[in-house]
Each structure stands twice: as C-alpha cells, then as structure tokens.
Amino acid sequence: MTADSEVPPVVEMRGITIEFPGVKALEGVDFTLRAGEVHSLMGENGAGKSTLIKALTGVYTIASGTIAVSGVERTFRGTADAQAAGISTVYQEVNLCGNLSVGENIMLGHESRVAGRIDWRSTHREAARHLENLGVQIDTRSLLSSHSIALQQLVAISRAMVTDSKVLVLDEPTSSLDRSEVEQLFGVMRDLRDRGVAILFVTHFLDQVYEISDRLTVLRNGKLVAEHPVSEVPRAELISLMIGRELDELQALSRASVRTVDRTDAPVLSATQLGRKGSLNPVDVDVYEGEVIGIAGLLGSGRTELARLLYGADRADTGRLEMHGRPARITTPRNAIDNRIAFSSEDRRAEGIIGDLTVAENIVLGLQAKRGWLRKVRNPERVVAEYMDALGVTPADPHRLIRELSGGNQQKVLLARWLATAPQLIILDEPTRGIDIGAKADIQRKVAELSNAGLSVVFISSELEEVLRISQRVVVMRDRHKIGELASNDIEVADLVDFIAHDTIKKPESVA
Amino acid sequence: MKRIFKHRMTWPIIALLVLVLVNTIARPSFISVTVQGDKLYGPIIDILRNSAPLMLVALGMTIVIATRGIDLSVGAIMAVSGAVALTIIEGSPAPDSLATVMIAATAGVLVALVLGVWNGFLVSVVGIQPIIATLVLMLAGRGIALLITGGFITTINSDPYKFMAQGYLIGLPFALFVSIAAVIAVALIERRTALGVLTEAVGINPEASRLAGVRSRSIIWAAYAVSGLLAGIAGILYSSNIMAADANAAGLYIELDAILAVVLGGTSLMGGKFSIAGTVIGVFTIQTLKSTITFLGVPPAVSPLFLAIVVVIVVLVQSPQLRDRLSRAVRRVRRGPATPTLTDSGAEAAQ
Ligand SMILES: Nc1ncnc2c1ncn2[C@@H]1O[C@H](COP(=O)(O)OP(=O)(O)OP(=O)(O)O)[C@@H](O)[C@H]1O
Ligand SMILES: [Mg+2]
C-alpha cells in the first residue's frame, strides 16, 4: 500500500520541536504521511505522540520546524484551520459536548439545512447513518453523556467521518473498544485508505498495529527513533525500539491466574441480587480475600454498571451487600471508602483526574478525603514519591499539573491515588486503558503482587487476554445480565469469546 | 524574570501598585500618614479601615466561587445582621454596656450564619443553581431586615458599638484588626487543614471528587455558611460606621464589588483554584479606586462608568490570553523563537 513516490506526501513534518516549561515534548521530529496508507505512530506513554498530532492540527504552535500539506508549507493557527485543510482528528481525550445529543455532536457545524433552517430530522438521519457505518445503532437524540466512554469514542470517530477529509488522525481511538467495534472501525479505515485517505493511527495494542497499518513511526522521549514499513519490523524489535531496551514480552505478561485462592473464610465482599432498574439486572458476586475477579463482556453488557453498584457510585435498588459475612451498607462512595473499597473509573477525564491540581495533590486526594478535612495529610511527599516510583509516573515531578501529563501517566496517577488509601478491595474499570506495553506489564504485575499480599481485586477490561491473565475467576456479562462465571485457569481467550457469544464453551468450567 | 511574570500574583499586585502610583502623582498627600495624638490618619489608613466590610464579604465570596458557586445574598445578609444587632441595642435598657453590645453583635452574626446555612442547604442539598438560590435571599433579605426594624432606619447611641468601626487600637483603626483577623482565620482554616484543597477539588471536578470520597455536599454547604457568617460581621461593621440600620442601603451592591475583588485577585469564576492573598489585593484595588473617584471629584452620575472603565482595563491587563496574543504579535514582528501556546480553537480541543 505504499504510495506513488512521485506525488508529494499528504503531510510532511520536518524538525518539529515543541517545548513546555520544563519538558521538551518533541525534539526535531520528522514525520511523513502518504496518501492511501495507515501509518501507526508508536511510543511509550509520554513519548510525544499526542503532542505531535496537536502540532499538526494547530492546537500547539511549534517552536521550530515546518509542516507541509500536499507539498505546500502551512501554519495552522487552530484546529479550524487544520479542518479546512482536510485534516480530521479524533483526539485521545473525547472532546464532545456531553449536554448535547449524540446526533448534534456528530453533525455540529454540518447540520442539514432547508432554506437556512436546520432540518433536525434529516440531520439525525445523517448522524445515524454515520454511526451505522461503525456498526452502532443508538437513538441519536439521546444525550451524549448518558453513554459509556466507549460509545462516546465511537461518536467522536463518526464525527471525524462527517467531512470528506484527506487526512484522518485517530489518537488511541480503540482504547476502550471491544473486538467487534475495532473490527468495524478497521473495516471503515480500510475503506477510506483504499479511497486514498491518509490515516494516522495511534494505539498501544500491538496486534492492532500489525493488523491495520502499512508503516510505522516510533518516537521515544520526544525524539524520532525509526520509520519502517510494518512488515519489516518484528514485534520484539518494535518493542525494543519503543522502550529502548529489550523486554521479554511473554515473560513480562506471564499468567498470574494460576494460583489457588483460599475460599474458606467469608468473602470480603458478597453481593446478592444486586441490581438497578434500567441499568443492571440482579447479579450475585463474591470476592474472596486475595482474589482477582475479572469481569468480561461486550460493550454495554453491564460491566461498568456492576462496578458502580458495588462501589455505591450509583445506588442499587435491589439486593444486598455483605462484607466478611456481615451486612454492609454501601450506598455512596463514602461508605465504600470507609469500608476500604476503592474504585477507579473508566472515564479518567470526567471521573478521575482533578485537572488543575498537581500530581501530588491528585495522589493524596483519596487519602485526604478518607481522613477528613481537619486532619491534613502530613508529609505527603513520601507517599507521593513511593507511588510515583512504584508505578513509574513520568515526568517524575509531583508538582506538575496532572492535566499536563500524557494520558497513560494520568492513569498511573489515579491508580496511585487508590493504592495509597490501602484498600482491602479495589475495583478497577479499564485500568490499563491507554497504557503502554511496558507499563501495562508493570500494572498487571502490581495487581498480581497486591493480590498475593491479600488485596482483593475486581478487574474489568475489554482486553480478554488481560482479564484471563490476571484473574482467577471471570464473571461474564451480557445484556446487563450475568450469564456465568468461569475459572480462568483452564480456558483460553477463544473459549471466553465463545462463552460471551453463546453461553457455552467447548469445555465448560463453571464454578458458579 | 520570566518566572515572576508567570506568577499569578504578579499582575494583581502590579495593578494595585500602578493605581497607588497614579494617586500619589495626582496628590502627593495620598501616601502621607499623620500622627494626631496616638492615632494614625491619612488616605491609606482610611482605605484600610473602609475596606473591612468588603474584605470580609470578599473572603467568603472567594470560598464560594472556588466551589463553582456564587453568593448574591451577602449585601442583604449584611442588612439583616445590622438590623438584628441595632434592634437589640435599641430595645435594651443599657445600650452603652459592653455586654449588650456583645450580645447584639453575636445575635446579628448568628442570624447571618443561619441565612448562610440556608443558602448552602438550597445549593448543596436541594441542588438549586447557586445564582438562583442566593437570589432568593438577595431579594427577600432586605425585606426581612425592614421587618426587624419595623420599617424604620434604626439609629442608636452606643459607644462600644461605635468602637467597632470607628475606634482605634494601638494607633490603628479597630476595623483593620477585624479584617486582618478574618484574613488570617480564613487562610489558616483553608490552608492549614485540607479544606482548601478539597474545596478546589470539588470546584474543579465535582464528580471525580465525589468518587474519590470527598464529602462535596458538606464542603459546598460550609462555603455558604462561612460566606453568610463573614457577611454578618461585615453588616455589624457597616452599621457601626453609620450607627444606623438602613435596610435599603446596607451592603448595597457589595456582592458585585466582592465578585470583582475575587476576580481581580486571580480566582476564576469557573471555580477551582483560589487565592486568598489575591482577594486581599483585589479588595485594596477596589477600595483605592473608590477613594480615587471621590478624590478626583468624578461626578456621582458618571462614577460607575469611570469605575467600569478602570476595571475593564485592569482585567484586560491581567488576562493571560490577551498578554499571550500581544507577545505573539510582538514575536511575529521580531521573528524570535516561540514557545508553544494553546491557540484559541486549540484550547477548546484540548478541553
Ligand atoms: N500542556 C502540557 N503542558 C506541559 N507538558 C505537557 C503538556 N502536554 C503534554 N506534556 C508533556 O509532553 C510529553 C508528551 O506528552 P504526550 O501527551 O504527547 O504523550 P503521548 O505519547 O501521547 O503519551 P500517551 O501514550 O500516554 O498518550 C509528556 O511528558 C507530557 O507530560
Ligand atoms: Mg497521547
């Protein structure tokens, strides 16, 4: 799929340098995007991928370097300029209006008009058509904020497809999508590529890189490391290009689930017929000490809803909870925290980070909330340093505002916040979302290590390999029901996929 | 050098200094302080004394704004607390006794606290938008004050009461001590405990704060209670200054001055990060401006316009966006090196 070398590349960035106070986010980076290719931009968290994209689309003004589009040198003064030049972008953090409808979000600025007035019916019809292309069928008049982060991501992608552009930039569009949505998206991407659109794609999933892209560019610490056709870079080499050292991927991601859990004592948390009208049908779940329970299911299957009810983020209207065999009342996050339960939401930006506070303040927040306002955490530096170090937050500056961190590093800070509260049960909803391969291994290892030390974990992820790798049991959800529970020891991803789809696997191992 | 210009207190301080400088040039006596007997007099001393009610109200407003709220009822609350205190003193057989005055002032402040709690209840429990919730008292409060005074402007004679706004302690106006005490108390409570940072967290991202276990309801509620309490003390000072409870004039438009002071001090109306030192500077800026207007003899009819123009200039000078554009324009001319900055539409996208 390499393009004709006669025509100039669609995008040619040369010697791009971007500096933030205290960090050189990019240093003399070259990047070339050709018509009709899918080009993956690779690198660890904080390598500068999103920054390069924002330099291209005019969000940041560049300190030095040039950007040429179709051979003509351009300076974009803002995203509108970039869009007018035919560059559509889906940013890493969904940036839509939660208080508008799905249809309005997709069509904003491109509404169908009849004699100057917006024709809402045809606008929504058009929006529905764009969603349909990605295999999504929802009411386009529903409020955007009422949908899961995955759906919002799909809406953001649809929005980028509304205009006919020659460049499509997708910054981690698949981070919270399931296989089937990813397949749909890839279908659309192939289609666009064959029509000559140049696609810039960012993901931390190596499988996806190999599946969809033609070329890749690797960044490390803000510098260009390499540009190659994908077929010429084997996986192991790609990983070492990204992290700058060898990483035995298989060793790093070894299966932690092969461990027996002592289930003689009463479960740490036990939910009986826990449910909420319109969001989750009654579910039973037990979590034992030191156990990792995975929750698997497709988008919209009720995974997140279950997590939120366990934590009291939403109020259950049926069922009851017991902790260590005694009835527990958990109707608000406060109750949960007082019971040493922690919950890391899948929606990092809206429900996780406090953007204008520093990394240190964000880490201490959970601990502080738990202690109450009167007893200020003394010497937070130690706790902060300990967890920043354990999770490898970069840059390692606790006084930086959290919103200035790369997406993956924000996620690590949130994990730090929760671990610092010393929970007995931690509910992690997509904790490795947007996290690079090295850090993902670190986090998985951390979870395994903590559960070995007695921490109970509820682990939700769209990545089934990951769920199987670190959990001892998997609760499978579909259509807001629990359809079963499997011991993860002796099933493979394919079995889990089967079960999610058909309720059965070739060798059922139900322990429920 | 660059550091200094980036610091968020720099511009508010520069604005205040410029204002003082302009005044001093216009009338050199502006910065003179004279000693008469054992008391200090002078325009600056007057500003420090007269700014006390605004200081109290603006401190409360800072905390409320930090939670993403606003308190429009502070002026009306001032009227109520003054009315309560003066009505008690007027009805007392011993208006000159310290005990009467203490009881009266405490009663006025407590009623104000109750009103603040009411505001907080409407906002944090019932969930009414702050601007509407506090509008209720803004409109009803003066009626309540009139009801308390029986529709009259209550006037009293009471030396201890008079002392609060007009008395001197070790050569300085007593009101100044009240204002300093309030600043220190608020600063200690917010910054020595975790209340300040939790308040900011709630203001920046309420949902994330709730999920992190922050008791956002109590924090918001407390902010309005504190605002009411401080407005109550301001009401006592105000009525002590004129020795009358004027339900219609007490604290009129002070909510606007207070909001302005908070904004001038660099705290965003969007909530979140707040600066008590900034508010203090903002209050002095506004009070100096008012004294300038009086001194320059700006006719009362156009003085609001004059105030508005100066405020717009000050706010513009402080605006990072504007400074940014200017410096970029300068750079474009000079073709010097650039640092990355969010362009306008970029800022939206980055949100
Ligand atoms: N607005 C900002 N202010 C200061 N530093 C920033 C800002 N935005 C990004 N950075 C820094 O620039 C570097 C590159 O960040 P960037 O977001 O481009 O990383 P990334 O490669 O997209 O990572 P991820 O995979 O985690 O999304 C990081 O060190 C980050 O902390
Ligand atoms: Mg990124």
Side-chain angles (χ1 to χ4, degrees):
Chain A
M1 273 293 156
T2 33
D4 188 354
S5 55
E6 311 277 300
V7 290
V10 187
V11 172
E12 192 160 22
M13 303 173 83
R14 286 284 164 267
I16 303 294
T17 296
I18 288 204
E19 244 175 285
F20 294 108
V23 227
K24 242 191 187 151
L26 290 176
E27 210 177 329
V29 172
D30 297 340
F31 179 76
T32 310
L33 189 61
R34 298 165 186 83
E37 73 167 354
V38 175
H39 193 138
S40 285
L41 186 56
M42 309 289 301
E44 290 182 288
N45 295 135
K49 305 179 294 293
S50 300
T51 306
L52 187 69
I53 287 171
K54 288 178 182 168
L56 171 63
T57 60
V59 176
Y60 297 138
T61 48
I62 50 179
S64 67
T66 57
I67 300 174
V69 178
S70 305
V72 185
E73 198 170 310
R74 304 287 297 261
T75 358
F76 297 130
R77 311 262 312 276
T79 49
D81 279 7
Q83 220 155 51
I87 302 177
S88 278
T89 313
V90 178
Y91 292 97
Q92 184 173 8
E93 306 295 342
V94 172
N95 60 324
L96 301 169
C97 308
N99 54 353
L100 293 184
S101 71
V102 168
E104 284 166 320
N105 267 295
I106 294 175
M107 302 301 295
L108 202 68
H110 305 281
E111 299 88 351
S112 347
R113 282 166 193 278
V114 178
R117 292 192 43 180
I118 294 177
D119 177 354
W120 285 115
R121 273 187 57 186
S122 88
T123 300
H124 279 285
R125 208 175 320 117
E126 190 68 1
R129 193 176 60 77
H130 285 293
L131 279 174
E132 192 88 23
N133 283 341
L134 291 173
V136 180
Q137 279 161 328
I138 49 165
D139 178 11
T140 59
R141 289 173 197 273
S142 53
L143 212 58
L144 182 78
S145 57
S146 67
H147 295 287
S148 69
I149 200 79
L151 227 143
Q152 295 188 21
Q153 209 163 42
L154 289 166
V155 169
I157 296 169
S158 306
R159 163 153 188 76
M161 309 276 186
V162 170
T163 42
D164 274 330
S165 30
K166 48 184 181 184
V167 179
L168 179 62
V169 180
L170 301 168
D171 194 354
E172 299 197 31
T174 55
S175 58
S176 54
L177 300 186
D178 290 325
R179 272 155 201 261
S180 60
E181 284 99 29
V182 172
E183 277 316 312
Q184 289 273 3
L185 174 63
F186 282 4
V188 174
M189 282 167 69
R190 286 192 190 102
D191 214 48
L192 289 170
R193 172 184 66 189
D194 296 344
R195 296 208 314 253
V197 174
I199 301 177
L200 169 51
F201 179 61
V202 179
T203 185
H204 288 292
F205 297 110
L206 298 190
D207 291 341
Q208 295 181 2
V209 172
Y210 283 99
E211 184 180 343
I212 188 79
S213 48
D214 307 303
R215 298 178 76 78
L216 51 84
T217 292
V218 181
L219 299 180
R220 189 167 68 227
N221 292 329
K223 295 196 195 74
L224 177 68
V225 177
E227 192 205 319
H228 292 297
V230 170
S231 51
E232 289 173 14
V233 198
R235 239 178 128 97
E237 191 186 330
L238 177 56
I239 294 174
S240 58
L241 281 176
M242 287 196 294
I243 66 177
R245 61 191 151 88
E246 306 279 320
L247 174 83
D248 187 346
E249 199 187 353
L250 295 174
Q251 174 253 316
L253 303 182
S254 70
R255 203 147 158 169
S257 56
V258 201
R259 219 187 83 220
T260 44
V261 173
D262 178 11
R263 298 204 177 86
T264 46
D265 287 342
V268 172
L269 182 71
S270 157
T272 314
Q273 294 296 299
L274 189 71
R276 181 182 160 92
K277 226 171 149 190
S279 97
L280 186 70
N281 292 296
V283 166
D284 291 348
V285 190
D286 291 334
V287 192
Y288 289 88
E289 187 177 317
E291 186 179 34
V292 183
I293 293 273
I295 303 184
L298 299 177
L299 202 169
S301 59
R303 300 175 304 200
T304 295
E305 288 77 0
L306 174 56
R308 291 180 65 93
L309 290 186
L310 288 174
Y311 185 66
D314 295 324
R315 207 178 267 254
D317 48 22
T318 66
R320 60 201 156 78
L321 291 170
E322 277 177 16
M323 293 194 72
H324 301 289
R326 281 189 298 275
R329 214 181 102 83
I330 299 174
T331 52
T332 66
R334 270 313 297 195
N335 299 151
I337 286 166
D338 293 340
N339 283 301
R340 293 178 52 214
I341 301 176
F343 167 63
S344 166
S345 161
E346 63 168 344
D347 191 347
R348 162 170 78 217
R349 205 164 73 97
E351 300 182 346
I353 65 165
I354 313 281
D356 284 337
L357 293 187
T358 63
V359 168
E361 285 169 326
N362 268 282
I363 291 178
V364 179
L365 186 69
L367 198 55
Q368 185 64 66
K370 195 173 165 186
R371 289 168 65 103
W373 66 276
L374 260 178
R375 297 193 302 138
K376 189 168 188 169
V377 176
R378 300 284 161 210
N379 306 320
E381 297 80 12
R382 235 196 46 237
V383 187
V384 169
E386 179 189 334
Y387 285 99
M388 283 182 77
D389 195 48
L391 294 163
V393 177
T394 48
D397 173 7
H399 303 297
R400 190 168 281 279
L401 295 185
I402 191 172
R403 66 176 154 79
E404 294 175 352
L405 259 56
S406 76
N409 280 296
Q410 293 181 359
Q411 185 68 48
K412 294 182 204 166
V413 172
L414 293 178
L415 275 178
R417 174 194 290 170
W418 290 116
L419 293 181
T421 63
Q424 56 178 330
L425 167 66
I426 185 165
I427 303 167
L428 302 170
D429 195 355
E430 301 278 4
T432 57
R433 175 167 174 242
I435 288 213
D436 68 48
I437 183 151
K440 190 177 269 184
D442 286 348
I443 286 180
Q444 292 175 2
R445 213 177 298 120
K446 191 91 198 160
V447 168
E449 183 190 310
L450 289 163
S451 69
N452 279 331
L455 177 72
S456 309
V457 181
V458 174
F459 192 96
I460 303 176
S461 172
S462 342
E463 220 187 320
L464 300 179
E465 294 84 350
E466 186 179 56
V467 172
L468 281 183
R469 201 179 303 121
I470 76 167
S471 57
Q472 281 86 47
R473 276 185 300 151
V474 182
V475 169
V476 183
M477 309 282 299
R478 190 203 303 139
D479 294 335
R480 298 166 193 282
H481 282 279
K482 171 176 168 181
I483 57 171
E485 210 171 278
L486 307 169
S488 47
N489 287 350
D490 26 31
I491 55 169
E492 296 302 323
V493 173
D495 303 329
L496 193 51
V497 171
D498 266 357
F499 193 86
I500 290 172
H502 311 112
D503 282 17
T504 49
I505 53 177
K506 281 148 263 157
K507 34 168 189 174
E509 289 285 341
S510 189
V511 291
Chain B
M1 197 62 181
K2 217 166 178 178
R3 264 267 165 75
I4 296 177
F5 280 107
K6 281 262 157 66
H7 196 277
R8 61 180 182 166
M9 287 311 299
T10 306
W11 293 100
I13 290 175
I14 289 180
L16 178 59
L17 288 182
V18 167
L19 206 55
V20 170
L21 194 70
V22 168
N23 269 286
T24 315
I25 292 169
R27 85 180 135 144
S29 68
F30 180 76
I31 48 164
S32 71
V33 175
T34 53
V35 185
Q36 283 176 21
D38 53 356
K39 296 171 187 166
L40 300 179
Y41 290 95
I44 299 263
I45 304 290
D46 286 343
I47 287 173
L48 292 178
R49 186 178 79 97
N50 295 339
S51 62
L54 180 59
M55 184 70 79
L56 295 168
V57 168
L59 283 174
M61 192 68 80
T62 308
I63 309 303
V64 170
I65 284 179
T67 67
R68 278 197 187 177
I70 196 121
D71 188 350
L72 297 180
S73 67
V74 283
I77 291 180
M78 278 175 67
V80 174
S81 85
V84 169
L86 264 69
T87 306
I88 291 176
I89 294 177
E90 190 195 28
S92 143
D96 267 327
S97 101
L98 188 60
T100 309
V101 168
M102 296 276 274
I103 290 168
T106 310
V109 172
L110 282 182
V111 171
L113 176 63
V114 170
L115 296 181
V117 168
W118 165 253
N119 281 333
F121 173 76
L122 289 186
V123 174
S124 69
V125 181
V126 185
I128 302 178
Q129 296 242 348
I131 199 162
I132 303 297
T134 57
L135 193 65
V136 172
L137 262 187
M138 180 190 184
L139 300 174
R142 295 189 187 279
I144 297 173
L146 275 175
L147 218 62
I148 294 169
T149 59
F152 299 105
I153 295 180
T154 309
T155 54
I156 56 160
N157 280 310
S158 163
D159 286 339
Y161 199 78
K162 190 172 177 179
F163 178 81
M164 285 189 286
Q166 304 181 35
Y168 274 77
L169 195 70
I170 53 172
L172 288 167
F174 181 71
L176 176 59
F177 290 99
V178 177
S179 136
I180 291 173
V183 171
I184 292 176
V186 171
L188 282 186
I189 291 175
E190 296 291 334
R191 296 303 184 196
R192 275 311 186 78
T193 71
L195 189 58
V197 74
L198 293 179
T199 304
E200 289 175 340
V202 169
I204 296 166
N205 191 340
E207 182 59 12
S209 303
R210 183 181 83 95
L211 289 177
V214 179
R215 294 183 194 275
S216 27
R217 176 184 289 182
S218 320
I219 284 175
I220 294 174
W221 201 338
Y224 287 89
V226 166
S227 176
L229 178 85
L230 290 167
I233 302 174
I236 303 291
L237 285 181
Y238 179 89
S239 59
S240 152
N241 200 28
I242 59 171
M243 291 307 277
D246 183 344
N248 290 314
L252 193 61
Y253 299 139
I254 199 167
E255 60 281 345
L256 301 182
D257 286 346
I259 294 167
L260 214 54
V262 173
V263 174
L264 287 181
T267 298
S268 160
L269 282 178
M270 302 291 288
K273 284 275 177 201
F274 66 90
S275 160
I276 290 169
T279 297
V280 171
I281 305 280
V283 167
F284 288 145
T285 306
I286 289 182
Q287 201 66 40
T288 309
L289 208 53
K290 293 205 157 163
S291 123
T292 314
I293 289 173
T294 323
F295 167 73
L296 292 178
V298 177
V302 294
S303 75
L305 181 64
F306 179 84
L307 189 72
I309 291 172
V310 177
V311 164
V312 167
I313 293 173
V314 173
V315 171
L316 278 182
V317 168
Q318 289 189 22
S319 145
Q321 276 93 345
L322 184 84
R323 281 206 309 274
D324 205 62
R325 283 198 180 191
L326 286 179
S327 67
R328 252 196 284 171
V330 170
R331 232 186 284 125
R332 219 169 294 131
V333 175
R334 284 208 223 135
R335 289 254 157 222
T339 48
T341 43
L342 283 175
T343 52
D344 285 350
S345 53
E348 273 156 40
Q351 286 310 302

